[in-house]
Amino acid sequence: MKASRLQYVLPTLCLFISGFGDLRARDTTTVDFQFWSDFTLVHHFNETWRYSGDQGIRGLFTNKNWTQIYVRPTVIWRFSPVMDARAGISLFQTCNKDLPNQTEVRFHQETNLKWPYVVGFVFKHILRFEERFFFNQGFDNQFSLSFDDVINRYF
């Protein structure tokens, strides 16, 4: 196979395979239509430091059982052209119709690697440690470590 064909086949193959990661049985009797509205603000202090913050609202159109409002500021240190480190705090307020309302504070630390760049695609690898603290009875605090791969198309 020619190198130019491989550059197109490899990202397509990765996209196809990654689609199988979320296959599981689903309850088809309940259908909810969610809306997520987000606004992101980015401020560059200089070439290596920047602030990024997003805020928004999430909820259900279909039965209005819950609505969530959040704000999530993050500080980013770009220490190489392909890699950065991030730290942030998040505040989530979830208003439930039939359950107690939920207040949650999250802290996260993560590193992002954008590599390789292959014919209009960039592979983004994210390693994130997140601490979640709930201020309600019945919810346990959670600590998680996640690794995500994202493929972005750029023009």
Side-chain angles (χ1 to χ4, degrees):
M1 186 179 292
K2 294 182 180 179
S4 63
R5 282 188 179 167
L6 183 62
Q7 292 174 340
Y8 291 104
V9 171
L10 183 61
T12 304
L13 183 62
C14 289
L15 283 171
F16 181 73
I17 291 172
S18 68
F20 290 110
D22 195 32
L23 290 179
R24 59 181 163 243
R26 296 177 189 244
D27 180 7
T28 57
T29 59
T30 303
V31 177
D32 290 325
F33 182 65
Q34 295 184 10
F35 68 89
W36 290 32
S37 178
D38 303 307
F39 176 76
T40 302
L41 172 70
V42 178
H43 176 73
H44 295 265
F45 296 110
N46 55 41
E47 289 189 22
T48 57
W49 288 95
R50 72 177 185 241
Y51 162 84
S52 175
D54 63 323
Q55 51 275 327
I57 186 168
R58 302 170 180 171
L60 295 174
F61 278 127
T62 50
N63 59 19
K64 300 192 185 340
N65 278 343
W66 65 271
T67 302
Q68 184 176 68
I69 301 169
Y70 74 94
V71 60
R72 187 170 37 201
T74 303
V75 175
I76 303 165
W77 174 43
R78 186 175 179 194
F79 53 88
S80 86
V82 296
M83 196 166 191
D84 66 42
R86 300 169 185 230
I89 184 171
S90 309
L91 175 63
F92 286 79
Q93 179 63 48
T94 305
C95 302
N96 296 299
K97 182 178 179 183
D98 299 325
L99 299 170
N101 292 339
Q102 177 178 319
T103 301
E104 176 184 357
V105 175
R106 299 180 188 181
F107 298 95
H108 73 271
Q109 307 81 42
E110 70 181 65
T111 183
N112 294 305
L113 172 66
K114 292 181 182 177
W115 180 85
Y117 290 82
V118 180
V119 188
F121 291 92
V122 62
F123 291 75
K124 183 177 179 183
H125 314 282
I126 305 165
L127 179 63
R128 170 183 268 219
F129 182 67
E130 185 173 57
E131 306 89 22
R132 299 174 67 184
F133 298 95
F134 298 94
F135 296 95
N136 304 71
Q137 291 182 356
F139 291 98
D140 294 329
N141 295 332
Q142 299 175 1
F143 304 91
S144 64
L145 180 65
S146 64
F147 183 77
D148 298 318
D149 279 317
V150 179
I151 302 173
N152 292 325
R153 174 81 168 117
Y154 66 92
F155 301 94

